[in-house]
């Protein structure tokens, strides 16, 4: 960023770092609050704030004070025409006011006494379109004759950074709004359909259950993982998962009573408590909860407690996507899983890749030692199936045995 004003080099470097220094997942809001603190402390002010002009009012959006006891709060507002902010933007008031009680305009404004403003400095925040978003201002309870044009140049530089950050935030909010509406548009609608993939028991050579899989029929088409990942980022992940599980479990009434339905769920959804309500009027003995190996678990004890009432009702727990690392073993042991599902990345070409075969063999031995069943998914060839039989896995699923299908097709096959 190139500043159009001339703060000194030290000040410029300080502001440049705020914009360019890598800050990981730091939010725009955090950066703006940090910027306010920098400005207030550097200028020796009591309060610094960023305001927005909305519907004829000046609304405080961000505030920083030296004692956290400012007479204003985020969200407070005043009629725009009665504020310093509006008068500064309209150039009816100087940007630097050394003593508000000596100024012909500010000494007569109610806000001067209301906020105990002794000296003041403010500048407009203009977006790239030229629109005035609001102002960046700071004030002191006492008069200050030391404020000067160099200080104002520093404030203007801060305004430029603020404009960039706010514009970025506005763009992000618009994007989040679009994505949120997209997620909401498929919840509990025909656009979100459940398909069922059969799981075959190798000993009986018959179907023992079905894994439920979401399909989204939208234009443009997007794969299920994209939908769920986006929903999770927007904090709609639990809502979308619960919707999918509710849809999936409706299939129980159409299937053979000896068949189960496996549903995919995340630790977040389990911890939310929603599943207990979903399973309230369902035969939980016909439900398998699949937790992916890749789902992070922050607190195993809390997750076990949330799972306890579901498992007491008869629901089984499966660790999905096993085979990619240590988490497989940790999830299984910590959660006392009933089923381990070998990931398709492990089962594909298992017949021709000795390392995969040995890893699967180790997982199967591990499962047997703790009385867990093993299901291998992603089986696409007879050679793969034969290798899995050699490993004595309990059940298999994959395109070789049956593709995911809507419930109508499943019933026709059955």
């Amino acid at each position: 960023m190139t500043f159009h004003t001339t703060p000194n080099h030290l000040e410029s470097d300080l502001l440049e770092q705020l914009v360019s220094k890598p800050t990981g997942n730091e939010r725009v809001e955090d950066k703006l609050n940090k910027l306010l603190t920098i400005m207030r402390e550097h200028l020796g002010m009591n309060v610094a704030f960023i305001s927005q002009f909305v519907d004829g009012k000046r609304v405080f959006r961000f505030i920083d004070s030296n004692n956290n006891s400012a007479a204003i709060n985020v969200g407070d507002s005043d009629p725009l025409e009665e504020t310093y902010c509006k008068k500064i933007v309209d150039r009816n008031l100087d940007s630097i006011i050394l003593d508000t009680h000596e100024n012909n305009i500010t000494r007569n404004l109610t806000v001067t006494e209301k906020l105990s403003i002794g000296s003041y400095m403010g500048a407009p925040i203009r977006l790239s379109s030229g629109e005035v978003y609001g102002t960046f201002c700071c004030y002191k309870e006492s008069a200050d004759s030391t404020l000067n044009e160099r200080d104002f140049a520093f404030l203007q530089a801060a305004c430029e950074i603020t404009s960039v950050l706010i514009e970025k935030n506005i763009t992000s909010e618009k994007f989040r709004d679009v994505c949120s509406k997209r997620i909401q548009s498929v919840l509990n609608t025909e656009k979100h359909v459940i398909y069922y993939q059969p799981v075959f028991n190798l000993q009986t050579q018959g179907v023992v259950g079905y894994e439920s899989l979401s399909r989204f029929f939208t234009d443009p088409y997007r794969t299920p993982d994209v939908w769920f990942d986006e929903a999770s980022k927007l904090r709609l992940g639990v809502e979308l998962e619960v919707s999918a599980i509710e849809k999936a479990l409706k299939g129980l009434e159409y299937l053979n009573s000896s068949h189960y339905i496996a549903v995919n769920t995340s630790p977040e959804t389990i911890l939310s408590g929603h599943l207990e309500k979903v399973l309230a009027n369902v035969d939980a003995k016909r439900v398998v909860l699949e937790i992916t190996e890749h789902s992070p678990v922050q607190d195993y004890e809390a997750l076990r407690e949330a799972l306890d009432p579901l498992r007491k009702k008869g629901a089984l727990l499966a660790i999905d996507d096993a085979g990619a690392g240590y988490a497989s073993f940790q999830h299984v042991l910590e959660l006392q899983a009933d089923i381990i599902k070998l990931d398709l990345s492990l089962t594909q070409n298992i017949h021709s890749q000795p390392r995969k075969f040995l890893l699967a063999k180790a997982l199967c031995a591990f499962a047997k030692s703790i009385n867990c069943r093993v299901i291998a998914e992603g089986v696409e060839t007879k050679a793969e199936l034969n290798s899995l039989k050699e490993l004595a896995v309990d059940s298999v699923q994959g395109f070789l045995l049956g593709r995911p299908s809507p419930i109508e097709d499943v019933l026709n096959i059955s």
Side-chain angles (χ1 to χ4, degrees), residues 341-371:
K341 296 194 70 176
L342 302 185
D343 184 44
L344 61 85
S345 64
L346 183 60
T347 58
Q348 284 182 340
N349 298 314
I350 192 171
H351 61 288
S352 60
Q353 297 186 22
R355 292 194 178 192
K356 285 188 176 184
F357 186 88
L358 290 173
L359 177 54
K361 185 177 181 180
L363 282 170
C364 289
F366 170 64
K368 185 177 180 180
S369 69
I370 57 173
N371 200 30

Side-chain angles (χ1 to χ4, degrees), residues 2-242:
T2 301
F3 296 120
H4 300 298
T5 50
T6 55
N8 65 31
H9 294 304
L10 179 63
E11 293 166 343
S12 294
D13 289 345
L14 189 62
L15 296 178
E16 290 277 10
Q17 286 176 22
L18 185 71
V19 175
S20 59
K21 184 179 179 180
T23 52
N25 295 322
E26 188 176 22
R27 301 179 308 157
V28 168
E29 292 87 346
D30 296 330
K31 290 185 177 182
L32 289 172
N33 282 317
K34 185 186 293 185
L35 181 57
L36 281 173
T37 302
I38 290 172
M39 290 301 304
R40 182 188 57 73
E41 291 179 347
H42 182 78
L43 297 174
M45 295 292 194
N46 294 122
V47 178
F49 66 82
I50 293 170
S51 74
Q52 182 181 11
F53 296 171
V54 183
D55 298 330
K57 293 184 177 182
R58 183 272 318 276
V59 182
F60 294 106
R61 293 303 186 199
F62 300 90
I63 301 170
D64 181 80
S65 65
N66 61 347
N67 56 11
N68 295 317
S69 60
I72 54 177
N73 298 293
V74 172
D76 287 352
S77 63
D78 296 291
L80 197 53
E81 297 299 331
E82 300 174 17
T83 66
Y84 286 35
C85 299
K86 173 64 173 172
K87 297 183 185 303
I88 286 174
V89 169
D90 291 344
R91 299 186 178 181
N92 294 325
L93 187 64
D94 292 337
S95 295
I96 305 174
I97 305 168
L98 306 180
D99 187 340
T100 59
H101 294 92
E102 294 295 324
N103 185 284
N104 291 332
I105 296 175
T106 58
R107 67 184 175 194
N108 295 316
L109 288 175
T110 303
V111 71
T112 301
E113 295 301 323
K114 178 182 175 182
L115 301 185
S116 300
I117 302 174
S119 52
Y120 193 94
M121 186 183 299
I125 300 170
R126 297 184 187 277
L127 303 179
S128 59
S129 64
E131 174 191 357
V132 174
Y133 171 86
T135 56
F136 192 122
C137 305
C138 46
Y139 65 86
K140 199 173 186 177
E141 293 176 356
S142 59
D144 187 348
S145 60
T146 67
L147 296 175
N148 55 44
E149 289 298 326
R150 185 178 63 77
D151 294 328
F152 182 62
F154 189 37
L155 182 71
Q156 285 186 300
C159 277
E160 290 187 31
I161 294 175
T162 301
S163 173
V164 171
L165 292 174
I166 285 175
E167 197 135 33
K168 184 183 295 184
N169 211 32
I170 290 172
T171 301
S172 296
E173 286 178 358
K174 287 180 178 178
F175 178 72
R176 284 196 296 268
D177 186 55
V178 169
C179 293
S180 180
K181 287 178 179 177
R182 183 161 55 208
I183 299 295
Q184 294 290 349
S185 73
V186 301
L187 284 170
N188 302 312
T189 68
E190 315 77 47
K191 296 178 182 178
H192 179 196
V193 177
I194 301 298
Y195 276 31
Y196 299 85
Q197 184 172 38
V199 179
F200 287 84
N201 182 284
L202 287 181
Q203 191 170 22
T204 65
Q205 297 187 353
V207 175
V208 289
Y210 294 85
E211 180 179 1
S212 60
L213 300 162
S214 289
R215 294 292 183 266
F216 297 89
F217 293 98
T218 58
D219 188 18
Y221 174 77
R222 304 193 317 158
T223 57
D225 61 308
V226 173
W227 281 97
F228 283 99
D229 182 59
E230 183 174 271
S232 179
K233 290 176 180 176
L234 293 169
R235 298 185 179 180
L236 290 170
V238 171
E239 191 173 356
L240 185 57
E241 275 189 28
V242 170

Side-chain angles (χ1 to χ4, degrees), residues 299-338:
D299 187 339
Y300 278 106
E301 184 177 356
L303 190 57
R304 283 193 297 270
E305 289 178 3
L307 282 166
D308 189 55
L310 307 177
R311 302 186 77 171
K312 283 181 177 177
K313 290 189 65 177
L316 298 180
L317 180 66
I319 302 305
D320 197 11
D321 302 333
Y326 173 72
S328 302
F329 295 91
Q330 188 178 20
H331 279 7
V332 172
L333 291 172
E334 292 279 4
L335 300 176
Q336 300 173 358
D338 305 290

